Amino acid sequence: MPTLSIEGRRQLRGHIRVSGAKNAVLKLMAASLLTREPCVIRNVPYIGDVLNMIEVLEGLGARCQLDGDVLYIEARDLHPEAPRDAVRRMRASIQVMGPLLGRLGEVKIAQPGGCAIGARPVDLHLAGLRALGAVIDERHGYIHGRAAKLQGAEIHLDLPSVGATENLMMAAAVADGETVIRNAAREPEIIEVQNFINCMGGRVRGAGTDTIRIRGVAGPLGGVDYTVIPDRIEAGTLAVCAAVCGGDVTLSPVIIEHMEIVAAKLVEAGAGVEVNGETLRVFGDGVLKPLHIRSQPYPGFPTDMQPQVVAMLTRALGTSIVTETIYSSRFKHVDELRRMGADITVDGRVAVVRGPCRLSGARVEASDLRAAAALVVAGLAAEGETVIEGLEHLDRGYEDLAGKLAAVGAKIVRRVPTEAAVP
Ligand code: EPZ
């Protein structure tokens, strides 16, 4: 299997281009199933999750073509059963439920698998779809949904689930009458789904607030040509790399409003942060102060940045406290960080990070996407060589992270064993 080798303790200098947002693109790909007309999505990152979602859409009968960062999707003739293997590989494939129920009146999909970051049920997705009139049967590891015609409804989510909000927006876009989603998630990616559906001729408003109103359209939705927003988590990860290494790095494009809490925490930690339009500059000497962090739904501190920040805080001068409120088990990176010399204790959902630690390079293994990113941050901060295994996790969500970091001075190389390199 390929590994990433990092020789740490080098300052970073230069500019890095931020790719399109994974967690928006995957939902726009699902939303493309709402129409028979061609859809074009631009600024698509070349990452494993996008390739996997292409497999899901193709398995449903859609035609997809990825040309550079432009993805063409044409879902003229669809059938309702999603391909099991591709679905089991990625939880986001559950997002095809809403569009398929809306368009075909039927969907059959494997239950999404367990996850390295804790239990991730889909009960809120299913309760919402039932409220829209779908009959849903869960049997033999599959979810089977049917609906002669979805009907608009008032839905109050028990918690502001990102995926449930998006699934219900897509289903409601073609339902009869009006749907109101209360306690909706407010993440920027939800606004992307709203904008995409509206560009197709849908009528959605309120995304970005906790109440979203969707008026179902009677006629078919049309095709769309849409450019996705920059990835706020990729940008945040790169900003953390710059803060921990020291130096002077600019990141663009970013939507600064999406980066506010991460930028504020970096400033609190003592990093230099400047904003100039769509460019975020992170600079300093790598000397950092401890933080108190609590992951929260947007606009709170993103859980998807928690592992990277824990890795960064091992270098801070003092004790940091990091509380994970979204996932039950998102501290798997801590064991690997300890192998590198980090002094971290975890009690339930709280990690106490005692810094500064002299991290030393070690052979470590990534357990999920953001844990992999945390190991990259630690490798950049450590003395000696760090070798990261489990790169398939990193590749799911980061477009050429190693190449981007190497271009600003990191000593980081991807090693592919010779036998694996032979096609
Ligand atoms: C999205 O997952 C992101 N994934 C996640 O990013 C991100 O961590 C998460 O939102 C929170 O911001 C994509 O967009 C593809 P949720 P999603 O539904 O939609 C519980 C990454 O690293 N819940 O808001 O699955 C659930 O168990 C990934 O890029 C239920 O109980 O997140 C979790 O504890 C990881 N029942 C919490 O809500 C449900 O039906 C948040 O889940 C749904 C969710």
Side-chain angles (χ1 to χ4, degrees):
M1 296 303 276
T3 55
L4 209 55
S5 159
I6 306 176
E7 291 273 354
R9 313 230 45 133
R10 282 179 168 68
Q11 290 207 330
L12 306 183
R13 282 181 198 282
H15 174 258
I16 307 178
R17 191 187 78 81
V18 176
S19 300
K22 165 180 90 82
N23 288 347
V25 167
L26 296 173
K27 322 310 169 56
L28 306 188
M29 292 173 73
S32 301
L33 300 178
L34 284 166
T35 179
R36 292 172 59 82
E37 304 298 323
C39 294
V40 183
I41 308 175
R42 298 180 192 273
N43 198 27
V44 173
Y46 191 77
I47 53 174
D49 274 7
V50 164
L51 301 180
N52 198 58
M53 193 65 162
I54 288 176
E55 209 177 314
V56 173
L57 299 192
E58 287 181 338
L60 288 163
R63 287 170 48 188
C64 302
Q65 194 194 329
L66 185 58
D67 187 359
D69 68 353
V70 184
L71 177 60
Y72 301 87
I73 301 173
E74 193 171 334
R76 193 158 281 281
D77 300 304
L78 290 176
H79 58 84
E81 184 163 348
R84 185 175 187 281
D85 289 348
V87 165
R88 296 281 298 173
R89 258 181 261 133
M90 186 180 62
R91 188 185 147 86
S93 41
I94 197 77
Q95 303 299 146
V96 302
M97 279 198 81
L100 288 176
L101 271 172
R103 168 118 177 247
L104 302 179
E106 187 176 1
V107 58
K108 189 171 177 196
I109 187 165
Q111 288 273 5
C115 187
I117 56 180
R120 294 176 75 187
V122 291
D123 54 322
L124 302 176
H125 299 238
L126 303 189
L129 293 171
R130 285 188 175 109
L132 294 175
V135 175
I136 293 175
D137 195 23
E138 293 180 82
R139 243 189 270 182
H140 309 304
Y142 278 87
I143 305 171
H144 192 178
R146 271 153 299 168
K149 181 72 184 146
L150 295 174
Q151 303 288 331
E154 285 260 342
I155 300 170
H156 193 117
L157 293 177
D158 287 347
L159 57 88
S161 155
V162 174
T165 303
E166 294 163 334
N167 229 338
L168 298 173
M169 288 165 77
M170 294 188 277
V174 290
D176 274 344
E178 186 176 72
T179 297
V180 183
I181 307 174
R182 297 191 195 281
N183 198 26
R186 292 183 284 162
E187 271 67 4
E189 293 75 20
I190 310 270
I191 302 178
E192 286 292 272
V193 173
Q194 167 178 284
N195 293 346
F196 191 81
I197 293 174
N198 289 346
C199 288
M200 297 169 105
R203 290 180 296 180
V204 184
R205 62 194 166 90
T209 76
D210 62 4
T211 305
I212 302 177
R213 293 173 194 277
I214 306 116
R215 284 173 61 199
V217 291
L221 289 172
V224 56
D225 188 328
Y226 194 90
T227 302
V228 76
I229 53 171
D231 194 313
R232 64 194 168 100
I233 305 298
E234 187 204 15
T237 303
L238 293 166
V240 163
C241 292
V244 86
C245 291
D248 196 338
V249 172
T250 53
L251 305 166
S252 73
V254 298
I255 298 175
I256 204 62
E257 188 192 337
H258 299 168
M259 305 287 307
E260 265 167 12
I261 190 137
V262 171
K265 283 292 175 189
L266 289 179
V267 170
E268 196 183 325
V273 176
E274 269 179 22
V275 177
N276 184 2
E278 290 195 333
T279 302
L280 184 71
R281 177 177 171 222
V282 182
F283 56 98
D285 53 10
V287 177
L288 298 171
K289 291 182 268 191
L291 295 175
H292 283 201
I293 296 236
R294 192 178 171 82
S295 68
Q296 302 243 278
Y298 190 85
F301 191 88
T303 173
D304 294 345
M305 283 299 302
Q306 177 264 105
Q308 302 89 309
V309 166
V310 165
M312 178 185 88
L313 291 173
T314 61
R315 299 286 305 142
L317 308 172
T319 300
S320 299
I321 298 181
V322 179
T323 307
E324 170 59 49
T325 75
I326 308 293
Y327 293 113
S328 56
S329 176
R330 203 175 207 180
F331 280 124
K332 295 247 166 67
H333 44 290
V334 166
D335 287 340
E336 299 303 288
L337 294 176
R338 283 202 199 105
R339 290 154 70 87
M340 298 175 71
D343 182 356
I344 307 175
T345 44
V346 175
D347 186 2
R349 295 194 177 216
V350 180
V352 178
V353 187
R354 288 178 205 84
C357 286
R358 280 176 82 89
L359 295 179
S360 61
R363 198 168 184 98
V364 287
E365 184 171 357
S367 53
D368 72 85
L369 168 59
R370 307 303 171 187
L375 297 179
V376 172
V377 173
L380 292 172
E383 280 166 13
E385 187 190 19
T386 296
V387 177
I388 304 176
E389 297 174 354
L391 285 196
E392 66 279 10
H393 296 293
L394 193 71
D395 295 343
R396 282 185 50 189
Y398 289 95
E399 183 174 55
D400 191 19
L401 186 62
K404 289 184 180 191
L405 289 167
V408 293
K411 200 160 177 217
I412 177 168
V413 285
R414 196 179 174 97
R415 297 228 161 87
V416 183
T418 351
E419 62 276 22
V422 178

